[in-house]
Amino acid sequence: MERSHAAPRVGAGAPPRRLSARRIASLAAVIALVPALTSYVGALTGRSNSGLGVRTVEWLRDNGARGLVNSAENAYYTFEAPAPGGPGLRSLPQAGIATTGGSSRLTKPQYRPPRIPALIAPALPGEGVWRAVTPRPGSRPPIEVTTFRSDPRYPRMVAGVAWIDHTRTSLHLYPGLLEPSVSVPRGTADVPLSDRTHLLATFNSGFKYADSHGGFAVDGTTYAPMQSGQATVIGYTDGRVDVIDWLGPPRVGSKVAFASQNLPLIVDGGQPTPNLSNGPEWGATLGSAVRVWRSGVGIDAHGNLIYAAADQQTVGSLAGILIHAGAIRAMELDINSYWDSFITYAHTDAGSPRNLLPSMARTAQRYLTPDDRDFFAAYLRG
């Protein structure tokens, strides 16, 4: 009788063990990704007025890929940097509106900003000439705007500038839906409906809190500690505004209506600050020499605000624009086309909104609907 011989079973259990290990590793990887996926989905589905691409980039910045995103943006903007020279412009975008003026009850002459001298000859029609943003009567407009070519080496570059009379306006700072990313009463994250009757202009604030780590205060309450050595746009309860190098305590006093910080000053004493070319703090701004949309705000010798924005600017060239427009101290605000906005309203109740420069990417309806980031609004004083 022949005996049957079963096939040997040596190693029969090994393949299932290897497969099980692979499955366990895959399951562990999926489990590890769950928090990231949950965070990403939350960023995409949360309340925001930014597009999918912008929210994706912002999420990457906030979740460990800040260096990668900055490197990619540096490479892109360096490749896209304009070449010097080229054909000159024949006209400039029209900023503001023509007014016929009107009677004024003022008994003494009041300061008006002088025309900004042209840097490229001959000057184009209206270049550097201030124009009102509203047809409301009066010989002294509360806000005036203009445009000028900011660099003879780049004759197609145009800067938009706004001058805000601190004696005729009231400036307010509003938190956005997401920024600053600290505990702060959000309100409606837009210009309140009840405040729009006398609205004259709105404009962007500074960087995200994660990038600037600057202080933020509203109505005498400090929601993010003030940092010594940071540039600060500050408003007081008596209506005064200023742009200063903050050297005070971490908390503002009761006489401060608002304060917002963003990096160090870029202009001080009417001159560029010495750290613009090599200061490490400009790493978060895509580098001091990278040309992108940039915006800034300064103060003139009479205590009035000057806002400026332009495409293809370095930190140093933005400082130059603000100095040429009359700023004695100034700071950089936000950068990149998606975040820079200065919007004027020619009529009451936020009527006829208009961007300072037509090349600004965001709609002029921005800030009339909830916005992700904090912003400023200027009102006509009663």
Side-chain angles (χ1 to χ4, degrees):
M1 177 181 296
E2 295 184 357
R3 290 187 297 176
S4 61
H5 298 279
R9 298 179 56 84
V10 177
R17 283 197 297 272
R18 287 197 296 271
L19 181 61
S20 176
R22 285 196 297 269
R23 287 177 175 172
I24 292 173
S26 298
L27 181 60
V30 170
I31 292 174
L33 287 173
V34 167
L37 290 172
T38 301
S39 172
Y40 179 60
V41 170
L44 296 188
T45 58
R47 194 180 179 199
S48 170
N49 71 332
S50 298
L52 175 63
V54 172
R55 277 182 280 175
T56 297
V57 170
E58 295 300 299
W59 181 84
L60 288 171
R61 285 188 192 276
D62 295 339
N63 288 272
R66 183 180 306 274
L68 178 63
V69 172
N70 282 348
S71 296
E73 288 184 332
N74 267 287
Y76 172 78
Y77 286 116
T78 300
F79 179 77
E80 291 290 317
L89 296 174
R90 295 186 178 182
S91 64
L92 292 173
Q94 181 178 323
I97 60 176
T99 61
T100 58
S103 61
S104 174
R105 297 181 180 177
L106 298 172
T107 59
K108 63 180 181 179
Q110 297 293 313
Y111 175 77
R112 293 281 301 279
R115 177 174 180 170
I116 298 177
L119 294 171
I120 302 175
L124 294 175
E127 185 165 15
V129 176
W130 296 101
R131 293 164 65 94
V133 302
T134 173
R136 299 172 191 178
S139 61
R140 190 164 57 98
I143 297 180
E144 300 185 69
V145 294
T146 190
T147 58
F148 70 95
R149 293 166 295 171
S150 59
D151 192 334
R153 298 170 300 168
Y154 299 89
R156 302 187 66 82
M157 284 186 183
V158 177
V161 184
W163 178 86
I164 304 173
D165 186 344
H166 78 282
T167 68
R168 298 205 64 203
T169 60
S170 176
L171 197 67
H172 292 247
L173 173 62
Y174 294 103
L177 291 171
L178 304 176
E179 291 294 329
S181 56
V182 296
S183 179
V184 56
R186 298 287 166 184
T188 59
D190 61 1
V191 179
L193 289 172
S194 58
D195 294 341
R196 296 183 184 183
T197 302
H198 302 295
L199 181 65
L200 295 172
T202 50
F203 60 94
N204 60 277
S205 184
F207 285 8
K208 295 174 62 176
Y209 179 73
D211 291 326
S212 72
H213 300 289
F216 187 91
V218 177
D219 295 332
T221 301
T222 304
Y223 294 99
M226 304 293 289
Q227 303 298 319
S228 181
Q230 283 241 23
T232 307
V233 56
I234 187 168
Y236 300 94
T237 54
D238 63 3
R240 291 180 298 117
V241 292
D242 208 344
V243 175
I244 63 173
D245 179 12
W246 181 265
L247 299 176
R251 310 192 76 80
V252 302
S254 60
K255 295 183 179 180
V256 172
F258 64 81
S260 179
Q261 296 186 308
N262 196 55
L263 309 179
L265 288 174
I266 64 174
V267 175
D268 196 12
Q271 299 294 323
T273 51
N275 62 343
L276 297 187
S277 61
N278 56 11
E281 58 269 31
W282 305 111
T285 73
L286 301 182
S288 61
V290 177
R291 290 189 172 273
V292 296
W293 266 97
R294 295 183 191 266
S295 63
V297 66
I299 196 83
D300 70 12
H302 300 267
N304 305 299
L305 284 183
I306 297 174
Y307 174 97
D311 192 8
Q312 302 292 354
Q313 300 301 311
T314 66
V315 176
S317 66
L318 174 66
I321 289 171
L322 286 157
I323 292 170
H324 194 62
I328 60 171
R329 290 184 300 279
M331 60 188 282
E332 185 173 58
L333 294 177
D334 220 338
I335 65 173
N336 292 332
S337 61
Y338 195 77
W339 303 116
D340 291 352
S341 292
F342 189 99
I343 303 163
T344 60
Y345 308 88
H347 298 97
T348 59
D349 297 320
S352 303
R354 181 177 183 176
N355 282 325
L356 174 61
L357 291 171
S359 52
M360 286 179 161
R362 302 294 290 275
T363 172
Q365 295 292 329
R366 186 185 184 187
Y367 305 132
L368 299 182
T369 57
D371 194 78
D372 288 353
R373 299 199 176 181
D374 45 300
F375 66 95
F376 294 94
Y379 300 93
L380 182 66
R381 280 203 198 187

